[in-house]
Amino acid sequence: MLLSIPHLTPFSLFLRPTSPKHVNFPYVNSIINISFYLDLLGHYSSKKLISRTGQLLVNEDKPRAKIMTFGSSKDEVDVPLEAGERLFLGMDFGTSGARYAVIDKDGTIRAEGKRDYPLYMSKDTVDWLGSWKTTLHSLLDDVPVSLRPLIASISIDGTSATTIILDSATGEALCRPLLYNESCPDALPEVKSIAPVNHTVCSGSSTLCKLVSWWNSYDSNKESALLLHQADWLLWLLHGKLGVSDYNNALKVGYDPELDSYPTWLLSQPYSYVLPSIQAPGTSIGPIKEEIRMHFGFPKDCVVCTGTTDSIAAFLAARATQPGKAVTSLGSTLAIKLLSTNRIEDARFGVYSHRLDDKWLVGGASNTGGAVLRQIFTDEDLAKLSEQINSMEASPLDYYPLQAVGERFPVADPKMEPRLHPRPESDVEYLHGILESIARIEAKAYNLLEDLGATKVEEVFTAGGGAKNEKWIKIRERVLGLPVSRALQTEAAYGAALLASRGTAQ
């Protein structure tokens, strides 16, 4: 999709025409005010949401977006920006790339784009911090120049349990980032000895296990150490205030959403001082740094807000507002979230809950997903082969598709081996078997949540890249025995933009 700005400095940008993915809303005093949440979702959903599958044209005298409505490939809608109107910028840093979305007060998308992470190496390891920082600046640069002076607030979501430990005095990393899917089994016995039985942190991939593993292996001075999550670190690059996180990201380090504080069993540990301060998602942290503001052309009153995790954002973006409604995010990995009247925490199965007022967002994330498919097939292959699959027929192939050794949910087993054999001669049959096997893992996950006491799932919305594969949706509908559909909004950046709008409302 081509973006052009007439009558201004020549500017063009090709964007992938995808819908926005995840969303997240803030808590009020650590708990989302569900009435506000429902009202806000209703506000956005009651409008005729617009997708930018056409050309975005911005006039210097009267900014105007020429965009396409959902369900139409012909009817264009001319949406002028009102005088004094403010916009909201959200960015999603996922497992394989990053996206941005700019929305107005009605939830209309004014601009969006995507960037892959550049591959930077430091000795023999990937320099993720350098890659993420470059991507952040690239996304900011991709925001149309004429829209930047209208940006009122910014927020970012990131992968859950991706852990960064810095020197708070210098801002320099004390170790490489520990990614969302990495496990630290060496720390698990110690964590289990201090945490309640089957607590969320009692999983090798939890943020707390990563912190304890680092603490026990790092021999240098730790006095100024500080823990941040991926979204926290990226936001810090924008606002400059070290040590701020949000309720959603802090769950896997041990933060208690019912107490609205770190529990005493965690605060009594020698490393508790490295934990960040916690605010509600979508809370205004402060103004954007002056050098960033000046370089990119943001207004003086632009603020940076606390973020959230990507899977929480996906759930809220889908407008799944009633208990029994669920969202499956089919990105590089598979993440599920179910709105339940009961809180479920069971680290044996990688199950945890985020609180939404008097309800709970229950779920977990598997290491299966689209990354496995991309190891085997190109995007073109996936599209062509999928067309030939009979989605109404069950595949006899039984796989457990993983990118590498280790699974988190619905089985927490760091030693689980990928199972992708035997491979039939037909690529169509092979792809069918993989898609159906991932659907079976999804079904096992929802059945497990019900067995543990969560509200029974009644309907599943789909987000992420896998939501575009209609044959896969039909396979999952058959395997799950439930209505399955694509969420209206499917990109996390859209949700992060909604979160940014919440920060200005405060």
Side-chain angles (χ1 to χ4, degrees), residues 117-137:
Y117 295 134
L119 179 60
Y120 293 158
M121 300 299 295
S122 176
K123 297 182 180 179
D124 295 328
T125 61
V126 177
D127 177 11
W128 284 112
L129 294 183
S131 178
W132 294 335
K133 182 176 181 179
T134 296
T135 304
L136 174 65
H137 287 184

Short mmCIF file of all heavy atoms in Angstrom, two decimals, residues 117-137:
data_model
loop_
_atom_site.label_atom_id
_atom_site.label_comp_id
_atom_site.label_asym_id
_atom_site.label_seq_id
_atom_site.Cartn_x
_atom_site.Cartn_y
_atom_site.Cartn_z
N TYR A 117 12.87 -7.38 11.97
CA TYR A 117 14.03 -7.06 12.80
C TYR A 117 15.31 -7.26 11.99
O TYR A 117 15.51 -8.34 11.40
CB TYR A 117 14.09 -7.97 14.02
CG TYR A 117 12.94 -7.79 14.99
CD1 TYR A 117 12.27 -8.90 15.52
CD2 TYR A 117 12.52 -6.53 15.39
CE1 TYR A 117 11.22 -8.75 16.43
CE2 TYR A 117 11.48 -6.36 16.28
CZ TYR A 117 10.83 -7.47 16.80
OH TYR A 117 9.79 -7.31 17.67
N PRO A 118 16.19 -6.26 11.94
CA PRO A 118 17.48 -6.49 11.28
C PRO A 118 18.34 -7.44 12.11
O PRO A 118 18.21 -7.46 13.34
CB PRO A 118 18.10 -5.09 11.23
CG PRO A 118 17.47 -4.36 12.39
CD PRO A 118 16.07 -4.90 12.50
N LEU A 119 19.15 -8.22 11.46
CA LEU A 119 20.00 -9.18 12.16
C LEU A 119 21.33 -8.52 12.51
O LEU A 119 22.16 -8.25 11.64
CB LEU A 119 20.24 -10.42 11.29
CG LEU A 119 21.14 -11.50 11.91
CD1 LEU A 119 20.54 -12.02 13.21
CD2 LEU A 119 21.37 -12.64 10.92
N TYR A 120 21.53 -8.26 13.79
CA TYR A 120 22.78 -7.72 14.29
C TYR A 120 23.45 -8.80 15.14
O TYR A 120 22.80 -9.43 15.97
CB TYR A 120 22.56 -6.49 15.16
CG TYR A 120 22.02 -5.28 14.43
CD1 TYR A 120 21.37 -4.27 15.13
CD2 TYR A 120 22.17 -5.13 13.06
CE1 TYR A 120 20.88 -3.14 14.48
CE2 TYR A 120 21.69 -4.01 12.39
CZ TYR A 120 21.04 -3.03 13.10
OH TYR A 120 20.56 -1.93 12.46
N MET A 121 24.73 -8.98 14.94
CA MET A 121 25.47 -9.99 15.71
C MET A 121 26.51 -9.32 16.59
O MET A 121 27.13 -8.33 16.21
CB MET A 121 26.15 -10.98 14.77
CG MET A 121 25.23 -11.75 13.86
SD MET A 121 24.04 -12.79 14.74
CE MET A 121 25.14 -13.97 15.54
N SER A 122 26.65 -9.86 17.79
CA SER A 122 27.71 -9.43 18.71
C SER A 122 28.47 -10.69 19.10
O SER A 122 27.97 -11.52 19.85
CB SER A 122 27.11 -8.75 19.95
OG SER A 122 28.12 -8.42 20.86
N LYS A 123 29.63 -10.83 18.53
CA LYS A 123 30.40 -12.08 18.64
C LYS A 123 29.55 -13.20 18.05
O LYS A 123 29.22 -13.18 16.88
CB LYS A 123 30.80 -12.34 20.09
CG LYS A 123 31.73 -11.27 20.66
CD LYS A 123 32.15 -11.57 22.08
CE LYS A 123 33.09 -10.49 22.60
NZ LYS A 123 33.51 -10.73 24.00
N ASP A 124 29.15 -14.16 18.84
CA ASP A 124 28.39 -15.29 18.30
C ASP A 124 26.91 -15.25 18.66
O ASP A 124 26.19 -16.23 18.45
CB ASP A 124 28.99 -16.62 18.81
CG ASP A 124 30.40 -16.85 18.30
OD1 ASP A 124 30.69 -16.39 17.17
OD2 ASP A 124 31.21 -17.47 19.01
N THR A 125 26.46 -14.15 19.23
CA THR A 125 25.07 -14.06 19.64
C THR A 125 24.36 -12.91 18.92
O THR A 125 24.99 -11.95 18.49
CB THR A 125 24.94 -13.85 21.16
OG1 THR A 125 25.58 -12.60 21.50
CG2 THR A 125 25.60 -14.98 21.92
N VAL A 126 23.05 -13.03 18.82
CA VAL A 126 22.25 -11.99 18.18
C VAL A 126 22.16 -10.78 19.12
O VAL A 126 21.88 -10.93 20.31
CB VAL A 126 20.84 -12.50 17.84
CG1 VAL A 126 19.99 -11.38 17.24
CG2 VAL A 126 20.91 -13.68 16.88
N ASP A 127 22.40 -9.61 18.59
CA ASP A 127 22.29 -8.37 19.36
C ASP A 127 20.84 -7.89 19.27
O ASP A 127 20.50 -7.02 18.46
CB ASP A 127 23.26 -7.32 18.82
CG ASP A 127 23.13 -5.98 19.54
OD1 ASP A 127 22.45 -5.93 20.60
OD2 ASP A 127 23.70 -4.99 19.05
N TRP A 128 19.99 -8.45 20.12
CA TRP A 128 18.57 -8.12 20.07
C TRP A 128 18.30 -6.68 20.47
O TRP A 128 17.42 -6.02 19.89
CB TRP A 128 17.77 -9.07 20.96
CG TRP A 128 17.58 -10.43 20.36
CD1 TRP A 128 18.11 -11.61 20.80
CD2 TRP A 128 16.81 -10.75 19.20
NE1 TRP A 128 17.73 -12.65 19.99
CE2 TRP A 128 16.93 -12.15 19.00
CE3 TRP A 128 16.05 -10.00 18.32
CZ2 TRP A 128 16.29 -12.80 17.94
CZ3 TRP A 128 15.41 -10.65 17.26
CH2 TRP A 128 15.54 -12.03 17.09
N LEU A 129 19.02 -6.17 21.45
CA LEU A 129 18.79 -4.80 21.88
C LEU A 129 19.08 -3.81 20.75
O LEU A 129 18.31 -2.88 20.51
CB LEU A 129 19.63 -4.46 23.11
CG LEU A 129 19.28 -5.23 24.39
CD1 LEU A 129 20.15 -4.74 25.55
CD2 LEU A 129 17.81 -5.09 24.75
N GLY A 130 20.16 -4.03 20.05
CA GLY A 130 20.48 -3.17 18.91
C GLY A 130 19.45 -3.29 17.81
O GLY A 130 19.05 -2.29 17.20
N SER A 131 18.98 -4.50 17.58
CA SER A 131 17.97 -4.73 16.56
C SER A 131 16.66 -4.06 16.91
O SER A 131 16.02 -3.41 16.07
CB SER A 131 17.77 -6.24 16.37
OG SER A 131 16.76 -6.52 15.42
N TRP A 132 16.21 -4.22 18.17
CA TRP A 132 14.94 -3.61 18.61
C TRP A 132 15.01 -2.08 18.57
O TRP A 132 14.05 -1.43 18.18
CB TRP A 132 14.58 -4.08 20.01
CG TRP A 132 14.28 -5.56 20.09
CD1 TRP A 132 13.84 -6.36 19.08
CD2 TRP A 132 14.41 -6.40 21.23
NE1 TRP A 132 13.69 -7.66 19.52
CE2 TRP A 132 14.03 -7.70 20.84
CE3 TRP A 132 14.82 -6.18 22.55
CZ2 TRP A 132 14.05 -8.78 21.73
CZ3 TRP A 132 14.84 -7.25 23.44
CH2 TRP A 132 14.45 -8.53 23.03
N LYS A 133 16.15 -1.53 18.99
CA LYS A 133 16.29 -0.07 19.00
C LYS A 133 16.23 0.48 17.58
O LYS A 133 15.56 1.49 17.32
CB LYS A 133 17.60 0.33 19.68
CG LYS A 133 17.79 1.83 19.79
CD LYS A 133 19.06 2.19 20.56
CE LYS A 133 19.23 3.70 20.69
NZ LYS A 133 20.45 4.04 21.46
N THR A 134 16.93 -0.16 16.66
CA THR A 134 16.90 0.26 15.27
C THR A 134 15.48 0.18 14.71
O THR A 134 15.02 1.08 14.01
CB THR A 134 17.84 -0.60 14.42
OG1 THR A 134 19.19 -0.39 14.85
CG2 THR A 134 17.73 -0.27 12.95
N THR A 135 14.79 -0.90 15.04
CA THR A 135 13.42 -1.09 14.56
C THR A 135 12.50 -0.02 15.13
O THR A 135 11.62 0.50 14.42
CB THR A 135 12.91 -2.48 14.92
OG1 THR A 135 13.80 -3.47 14.39
CG2 THR A 135 11.51 -2.73 14.37
N LEU A 136 12.67 0.31 16.40
CA LEU A 136 11.86 1.36 17.02
C LEU A 136 12.02 2.67 16.26
O LEU A 136 11.04 3.34 15.92
CB LEU A 136 12.28 1.54 18.49
CG LEU A 136 11.64 2.71 19.24
CD1 LEU A 136 10.14 2.50 19.39
CD2 LEU A 136 12.29 2.87 20.62
N HIS A 137 13.25 3.06 15.98
CA HIS A 137 13.49 4.31 15.27
C HIS A 137 12.97 4.23 13.83
O HIS A 137 12.49 5.23 13.29
CB HIS A 137 14.99 4.63 15.29
CG HIS A 137 15.47 5.09 16.62
ND1 HIS A 137 16.75 5.51 16.86
CD2 HIS A 137 14.83 5.19 17.82
CE1 HIS A 137 16.90 5.86 18.12
NE2 HIS A 137 15.74 5.66 18.73
#
